[in-house]
Amino acid sequence: MWNIADIFKSSESEEEVEGEEALMYLARRYKGLTVNACAHAIFFCRLLHAFRPNRTEKAFPPSLVDNSGLKIGIIGGGRLGKQLAKALLALSCSSTSTPCCSIRISTRRPESLAELQEQGVGCLYDNAQLVAWADVVFLCCLPSHVLTVCSAIRAAVRKPCLVYSLVTAVPLRRLKQLLSYSAIMRPQYQCGGKEPSNEWKTKGTVTAALQDPAVVQATCPCSSQGTIRVNTKWLVAVFYAALNSSMWQRLPHQKALQLLNDLCFPEHCPICAEGKTCCPRFVCESFVSKTFASSMTQEETFPWFDLTAAQLRESPFSQLLEGSESVRSHLARLYQGAFGDWSTEPRGLVSTSTSLTSAAVEPGVTEDHRTSLSTTASEMSSEDLEETTDSDSKSS
């Protein structure tokens, strides 16, 4: 005769297995989201650093030359904030003759970050002071703390500082409203229906995972192969943010374009060599409307772009990305190179007389003093620009 207790033991055993599998699934998904968020933050910071002036370039006024590197602030010293700081230290701010960034974290318990302080990270508890100092500020706080944090930093945040939100469930338009500021980025992540694989190296650290080329490839924003994907408009905002940096440094738009072209479409490009084709080139119309581009003088800078609008609506660059597989392939190569051997040689700006081909252009998203050629902040906020509920629920 069998014991009825055996039935309950069997049922409990099956529930334990199912519970363990569910926890492992959540662990893989969390790790994947963290790896993606850190990878994209590293790429973004390295691209911004590539636009910073150095003493080898005569194109920049001496007052703008700064060898201290990109100043990165992180608000929130929890798990995500610490993981991001460690990844940036290891993969973006590696020790060279000129550090490419310096990092500070604002958290309620600075004393709990002793390990990071030993590595040179400044730890404090003053969000406004951090924002006033930083070139880029990553929001890594809890959603319930966003209102308090934004209230504290609203008066301190100003151009050219960029706010990069990794906070779940707080939409971009809400952040813009809370901060009264348009230079905000917020990546949105979508998890595919298939089971998250071990491509994210669940048992290792985020930094170790991003030293694996296969993991880096899985995080590439130009690829659709990963189980976790970032929205395309994030990549669009990355490049408009780089142009904002060039504008703030008073770099003429033709030189800014050449710098972008040198980074994205280098000489002896293996992609074009294999296909025996010429590399594409960015032109003014890649980022602004034909009307606006035709009004720009050779020495004029790009306008200051509204990054929130660039993520919420179509722009010339978003249309170019969508329509050009060649551009996407080159940007994928640039992205993967950010975790390997990006050139550390002095960046030379090639002649602006180089022949530039045309690109797909439509009316763009710009903020400029010429209101007839730009879209004002009030006009943008009045439009019905909705983020999808599905994307928000799956974002990080």
Side-chain angles (χ1 to χ4, degrees), residues 168-222:
T168 305
V170 182
L172 191 59
R173 288 203 300 166
R174 176 59 173 161
L175 289 170
K176 182 177 182 179
Q177 180 185 38
L178 290 173
L179 292 173
S180 296
Y181 194 60
S182 67
I184 305 172
M185 292 180 59
R186 179 179 179 266
Q188 297 183 62
Y189 296 99
Q190 183 172 2
C191 299
K194 53 186 176 180
E195 169 77 10
S197 65
N198 196 36
E199 63 190 0
W200 310 120
K201 310 296 181 184
T202 308
K203 295 183 179 180
T205 65
V206 170
T207 301
L210 290 176
Q211 292 173 339
D212 184 336
V215 173
V216 172
Q217 185 175 6
T219 67
C220 181
C222 299

Side-chain angles (χ1 to χ4, degrees), residues 30 147 180 191 316 341:
Y30 173 79
L147 182 59
S180 296
C191 299
D341 299 323

Side-chain angles (χ1 to χ4, degrees), residues 31-230:
K31 181 64 174 294
L33 287 168
T34 304
V35 169
N36 274 267
C38 291
H40 298 150
I42 289 169
F43 171 72
F44 175 66
C45 289
R46 295 209 67 179
L47 184 64
L48 280 191
H49 176 70
F51 267 75
R52 291 181 68 80
N54 62 48
R55 299 191 187 280
T56 65
E57 293 177 358
K58 297 180 181 179
F60 296 98
S63 61
L64 292 176
V65 176
D66 180 7
N67 275 358
S68 63
L70 194 68
K71 293 179 288 187
I72 301 174
I74 300 174
I75 295 180
R79 182 173 297 181
L80 179 58
K82 287 188 286 190
Q83 292 273 25
L84 177 60
K86 290 177 181 179
L88 286 168
L89 279 172
L91 300 171
S92 181
C93 308
S94 55
S95 58
T96 60
S97 58
T98 302
C100 72
C101 72
S102 54
I103 302 174
R104 294 181 185 177
I105 298 180
S106 178
T107 178
R108 289 178 294 179
R109 295 181 58 211
E111 67 280 1
S112 66
L113 303 178
E115 180 184 354
L116 288 173
Q117 292 185 56
E118 291 174 359
Q119 298 179 61
V121 176
C123 300
L124 64 154
Y125 182 33
D126 191 326
N127 295 335
Q129 179 184 333
L130 182 78
V131 169
W133 166 83
D135 298 313
V136 182
V137 174
F138 289 94
L139 297 184
C140 299
C141 56
L142 294 172
S144 58
H145 295 168
V146 167
L147 182 59
T148 301
V149 169
C150 288
S151 297
I153 69 175
R154 181 170 176 167
V157 65
R158 58 186 180 274
K159 297 177 183 178
C161 179
L162 188 140
V163 178
Y164 191 116
S165 176
L166 291 173
V167 181
T168 305
V170 182
L172 191 59
R173 288 203 300 166
R174 176 59 173 161
L175 289 170
K176 182 177 182 179
Q177 180 185 38
L178 290 173
L179 292 173
S180 296
Y181 194 60
S182 67
I184 305 172
M185 292 180 59
R186 179 179 179 266
Q188 297 183 62
Y189 296 99
Q190 183 172 2
C191 299
K194 53 186 176 180
E195 169 77 10
S197 65
N198 196 36
E199 63 190 0
W200 310 120
K201 310 296 181 184
T202 308
K203 295 183 179 180
T205 65
V206 170
T207 301
L210 290 176
Q211 292 173 339
D212 184 336
V215 173
V216 172
Q217 185 175 6
T219 67
C220 181
C222 299
S223 172
S224 60
Q225 298 178 356
T227 56
I228 297 174
R229 296 188 297 275
V230 68

Side-chain angles (χ1 to χ4, degrees), residues 221-222 231-233 235-236 282 286 313-329 331 359-362:
C222 299
N231 58 319
T232 305
K233 293 294 181 66
L235 187 59
V236 171
F282 290 136
S286 301
R313 59 185 287 187
E314 293 301 315
S315 65
F317 190 56
S318 69
Q319 294 177 347
L320 176 61
L321 272 185
E322 183 179 354
S324 176
E325 183 178 351
S326 178
V327 170
R328 292 196 302 271
S329 297
L331 296 190
V361 290
E362 288 295 336

